[in-house]
Amino acid sequence: MKIPVRHLLGKLTILLASVIALAGPSGAHAGANFYGKLNVAINYLDREQEQGFVGYALSNNRAGRPWRGNPFITTPRGPANRLGLKGSGDLGPEFRVVYQLEFGFSLSDSNNNAFNLGSSETLTMRNTFVGLAGPWGSLLAGRLDTPFKSSTSPLDLFTNTLGDSASTTGFQNLRMDNSLFYASPNLAGVQFSAALIAGGGATLDGISNVDSDSLAEAYSLALIYTRGPLYASLAWERQGADLADPSDPEIQKDWDKLRLGLGLLDWRGMTLTLIFEHWDHAFWGNDNSADLWQLQAGYAFGNILLKATVGGNQQSGDYKILTSFCCDLYAEDDFGFETWALGGDYNFTKHTKAYLVYSDNQADALINPVTGGSSDALDWRGVQLGLSHAF
């Protein structure tokens, strides 16, 4: 739903009033909890391509994103904002209903329109579901992060900043509609989760595909182990070929993904994490594959957290098509890119922090099929200074 900027404040006011009313201590909503996160930053981004974003901007969404088509290559990301309501209601001994309603929104224009003349912003649905829970675990239905995505969430020290692992290294983190999600209870530090995603005649890009009709057009599995500061996860996800554009002649196979996560979290102030991900039939191509990795390190002392990350993505197989504002560019076989970032957080309180991030991302050249020339269109670097408050 597109909402003109001049009406956004009014819409959010109505939303806030409704959510607060629901969260009041009355009847079935006595267990409801209203929450949110406000996160804004000043960014300076520098891209190699002329039509890319260059310069300062106050951004809290995806800063200066010139790409359409392939969403899994390096893309600068700004902070994320949200408002939500979650809670539960008793249905009997050790049995309850659980629910969550969460919206994402922008605090400033993300459409590259300096004065908001005729511009519009978007309210987006984040994790929103209803389900049942008990000693056996929880069963949820709605829009949810996949277990594959959630399996390594605690391992990213740069989430929703210019150093975000998904935006720089290209880890594919999905929040999917039509999800049936099960999470087991925590048993001696081990927890299992699984999700089935019904196609519903749609594709990942919002194109209609009548062949996308399975209850398990995609499915996702994750196993997580935690013990003190130790964290380990193993996840697997398949996106069926019918979730791709049916008109693409390169679509032949299901896209399979395997992810391994390891971490030593906040041990005497030190954090070390590793994420590795492998793709078979990447982008549903017959011969495409990829290996992605990222190392992160952090050290906390007092109210300060210093952090660093380095990673890479090496793809092989058939070429990938990347559509920019001007033309189609092609990545040749064995295309890859590398990324690194440095940052620091200052925690005023548990809920409020300031942060500074520098990110540098270098990719192999892309080929222009018309001129035969090469382009460094995916190279970018940026600095971000932000403030975040959760409530």
Side-chain angles (χ1 to χ4, degrees), residues 234-379:
L234 182 65
W236 184 78
E237 186 168 280
R238 167 169 287 180
Q239 296 171 18
D242 288 336
L243 287 174
D245 185 347
S247 65
D248 190 338
E250 298 296 323
I251 302 305
Q252 302 180 43
K253 299 287 186 177
D254 295 337
W255 184 352
D256 292 336
K257 298 172 290 179
L258 178 70
R259 179 181 292 184
L260 172 67
L262 298 171
L264 181 67
L265 307 181
D266 197 18
W267 179 71
R268 299 180 180 179
M270 181 175 62
T271 294
L272 295 173
T273 70
L274 166 67
I275 304 175
F276 173 80
E277 185 167 316
H278 175 74
W279 298 345
D280 279 327
H281 314 303
F283 311 105
W284 302 278
N286 186 43
D287 299 320
N288 296 352
S289 65
D291 290 310
L292 304 78
W293 64 275
Q294 186 170 62
L295 287 169
Q296 294 195 13
Y299 182 71
F301 55 97
N303 294 342
I304 297 174
L305 170 65
L306 299 178
K307 53 192 179 181
T309 181
V310 61
N313 182 327
Q314 186 64 47
Q315 303 182 32
S316 62
D318 298 335
Y319 62 78
K320 291 84 180 172
I321 303 175
L322 305 170
T323 306
S324 71
F325 284 147
C326 66
C327 53
D328 286 344
L329 300 174
Y330 296 82
E332 292 186 318
D333 194 13
D334 298 328
F335 172 77
F337 49 88
E338 294 77 38
T339 178
W340 62 270
L342 297 173
D345 299 342
Y346 183 83
N347 296 286
F348 296 99
T349 68
K350 181 180 179 180
H351 302 289
T352 305
K353 72 176 183 180
Y355 56 91
L356 178 65
V357 175
Y358 174 81
S359 182
D360 188 283
N361 303 267
Q362 304 294 319
D364 292 342
L366 300 174
I367 307 301
N368 187 319
V370 178
T371 66
S374 62
S375 169
D376 293 326
L378 288 179
D379 292 355

Side-chain angles (χ1 to χ4, degrees), residues 125-198:
M125 298 296 295
R126 293 173 58 86
N127 286 306
T128 300
F129 57 82
V130 65
L132 301 172
W136 42 268
S138 57
L139 181 63
L140 312 174
R143 171 178 291 193
L144 292 134
D145 292 345
T146 66
F148 189 84
K149 173 184 177 180
S150 301
S151 67
T152 52
S153 294
L155 303 183
D156 190 357
L157 298 173
F158 289 84
T159 299
N160 294 323
T161 72
L162 292 186
D164 185 291
S165 62
S167 300
T168 55
T169 307
F171 293 113
Q172 194 186 33
N173 294 329
L174 296 178
R175 180 180 300 122
M176 301 193 74
D177 290 329
N178 300 325
S179 294
L180 294 175
F181 181 99
Y182 170 75
S184 75
N186 191 312
L187 301 173
V190 178
Q191 187 172 33
F192 169 77
S193 58
L196 298 179
I197 295 92

